[in-house]
Amino acid sequence: MWIKRDTDDVYSSIEDFPEGTVGFVYEVSYQGKKYIGKKILLHKRTLPPLKGYKRKRVKYVESDWKTYTGSNEITKKWKSEDCTRIILELCVNKTMMSYYETKYQFQMNVLEDDNYLNDNVLGKYFRKTLNKYMK
């Protein structure tokens, strides 16, 4: 179950999301540790063409967003029932998901705060590099 920040909206099924929502930016926390990331709701699967046809088929499959706890090695071990899972922003496309994820990671100082488990931002700014230059 996901809860939207600053509201009482609860998301436990894909029908609960507003129409046009592609994914969301989230914060997962457990025992004082936190992680900020993004999650897409539907994955695109390409299937082989039917017999006699050349064009590949496209199928959209719901992702594992209901039980997802993050892509970090530590957060993957957490149980979704034990975590506090908050949706920070609902997004209508992947570009906005990347923008808001980066925005919240910089706002919350995820690379400087030891309570956050994020190792990098955009695969470009790394915690270990930042620590090396700040000391």
Side-chain angles (χ1 to χ4, degrees):
M1 173 174 66
W2 291 87
I3 299 170
K4 178 92 166 71
R5 183 180 71 154
D6 298 333
T7 65
D8 294 330
D9 297 345
V10 176
Y11 298 94
S12 55
S13 118
I14 203 156
E15 287 81 27
D16 296 338
F17 289 93
E19 190 175 331
T21 303
V22 170
F24 54 89
V25 176
Y26 64 87
E27 180 181 77
V28 176
S29 58
Y30 178 67
Q31 295 181 345
K33 295 293 182 180
K34 299 177 182 180
Y35 183 80
I36 292 179
K38 61 183 175 183
K39 186 65 181 164
I40 196 156
L41 295 173
L42 296 173
H43 290 294
K44 183 180 177 180
R45 297 284 180 239
T46 305
L47 303 172
L50 292 171
K51 185 176 180 181
Y53 292 90
K54 293 182 180 180
R55 188 172 30 195
K56 293 180 181 177
R57 297 173 291 155
V58 176
K59 180 180 179 183
Y60 290 94
V61 180
E62 188 173 349
S63 71
D64 64 341
W65 68 272
K66 291 179 185 178
T67 58
Y68 193 72
T69 55
S71 60
N72 184 287
E73 291 302 317
I74 296 170
T75 62
K76 286 180 182 178
K77 297 174 185 173
W78 297 348
K79 293 181 181 175
S80 59
E81 308 87 45
D82 300 336
C83 301
T84 303
R85 302 186 306 163
I86 298 169
I87 295 176
L88 301 174
E89 203 73 46
L90 296 173
C91 303
V92 294
N93 58 40
K94 290 181 180 181
T95 303
M96 294 310 293
M97 286 171 57
S98 294
Y99 169 76
Y100 282 117
E101 178 189 27
T102 307
K103 173 186 172 186
Y104 285 111
Q105 286 175 339
F106 279 122
Q107 275 183 345
M108 307 292 191
N109 288 323
V110 298
L111 298 179
E112 299 172 35
D113 190 345
D114 290 332
N115 292 327
Y116 283 94
L117 298 171
N118 295 75
D119 294 333
N120 68 77
V121 175
L122 284 176
K124 196 173 195 173
Y125 306 103
F126 295 89
R127 181 185 297 261
K128 61 183 177 184
T129 307
L130 189 67
N131 288 339
K132 183 170 88 174
Y133 291 115
M134 293 188 80
K135 291 182 180 181

